[in-house]
Amino acid sequence: MYLDALDHLTCPRHPEARLALLAGARIARDGAVERGRLRCPACGRVYPIAGGIADLLGPAPPDSPAQLTNYLPPTAWAYERLWRRHALTLLSGEPFGPERELPLVVGMAAPARGGLIVDVACSNGLYARALAQGLGAPGHVVGVDHAPPMLRQARAYARRAGLRISYVRARARALPFAAGSAAALAMGGSLNEIGDAPAALAELRRVCACDGRVAMMSLVRAATPAGRALQAVLGLGGIAFPPLDGLNRMVAAAGLRLRAEWRHRVVVFSLLTPGR
Ligand SMILES: C[S@@+](CC[C@H](N)C(=O)[O-])C[C@H]1O[C@@H](n2cnc3c(N)ncnc32)[C@H](O)[C@@H]1O
């Protein structure tokens, strides 16, 4: 994480309490906090920063087999290298590489406005990097995930690309940011496996500024019997595929307003803003 993140990071248990960096931290010349400790002024909890990543979660086992796979270092290594760049093409049945997906996400999130931008359940930080490249005004991108190997890989990719992105370990249902503090939040393909989707959506709503945006890519229930059969098997591992109207109802129940939506077979992009 970078010193810039200190303007935004709060305690997951006390989301209005800004975390303070304790003395003795190892800070690189570019402002990367390599090692140190963050303290919550409300509860006194101390959270470690190691390898440049703040861990606001501590010992927390994954909730499902799907989540467990993301805790495995080979998954984190292979995720973007082998799967992610082909994923939407395979799932949508049309050419849909990152060169098509990322401008869509950046267009929805509008990072050119600057401010705090959060990639929720970021994996290797594909969206975080695109959003950081799209910053047009002072701002900072923070990637949040609960799986340490994913965060380590995300940090390595960002550093290789020369991008200042802070990576933080936390859960989607307890984001470490104050209410209304983010100009934009993105979440790509993660609502399906997050476990408690309504709670995660409520967090997106809480953290989003009143003039902010939420850019979401989700997978919905397949239309074909074969697609549904495959989704039923994946469901055993803890991945859920709601029907599109169910997804939109969940979004509305969280207090988010659907502004635009694009569907490509099971792949759905949603632009959301606070309000009903
Ligand atoms: C399908 S991948 C996300 C992909 C990424 N957003 C992208 O577009 O490449 C799902 C990610 O969500 C993370 N995840 C799952 N449940 C989570 C939770 N409850 N809190 C935080 N991260 C979670 C997993 O560790 C995994 O990295």
Side-chain angles (χ1 to χ4, degrees), residues 235-251:
L236 299 175
I239 306 184
F241 300 92
L244 181 57
D245 58 346
L247 172 69
N248 289 340
R249 271 198 302 276
M250 256 195 299
V251 159

Side-chain angles (χ1 to χ4, degrees), residues 75 78-88 90-91 219:
T75 310
Y79 182 72
E80 231 176 87
R81 288 179 176 90
L82 303 184
W83 164 248
R84 189 60 178 83
R85 58 181 36 255
H86 310 292
L88 293 206
L90 292 167
L91 294 166
L219 305 178

Side-chain angles (χ1 to χ4, degrees), residues 156-173:
Y157 281 147
R159 284 166 74 86
R160 204 174 303 161
L163 295 168
R164 291 166 61 85
I165 300 173
S166 290
Y167 285 105
V168 172
R169 183 167 178 251
R171 280 213 168 104
R173 61 175 179 260

Side-chain angles (χ1 to χ4, degrees), residues 222-234:
T224 63
R228 285 196 188 188
L230 177 61
Q231 290 184 340
V233 174
L234 294 171

Side-chain angles (χ1 to χ4, degrees), residues 95-169:
F96 222 125
E99 66 289 346
R100 183 173 173 197
E101 177 184 2
L102 296 179
L104 191 51
V105 171
V106 169
M108 288 195 286
R113 300 183 309 155
L116 169 65
I117 299 181
V118 185
D119 183 1
V120 179
C122 61
S123 278
N124 290 178
L126 181 69
Y127 283 2
R129 297 197 302 279
L131 294 166
Q133 278 161 343
L135 276 174
H140 191 59
V141 177
V142 180
V144 173
D145 201 285
H146 67 176
M150 288 290 185
L151 291 166
R152 287 195 287 270
Q153 183 63 71
R155 181 172 187 257
Y157 281 147
R159 284 166 74 86
R160 204 174 303 161
L163 295 168
R164 291 166 61 85
I165 300 173
S166 290
Y167 285 105
V168 172
R169 183 167 178 251

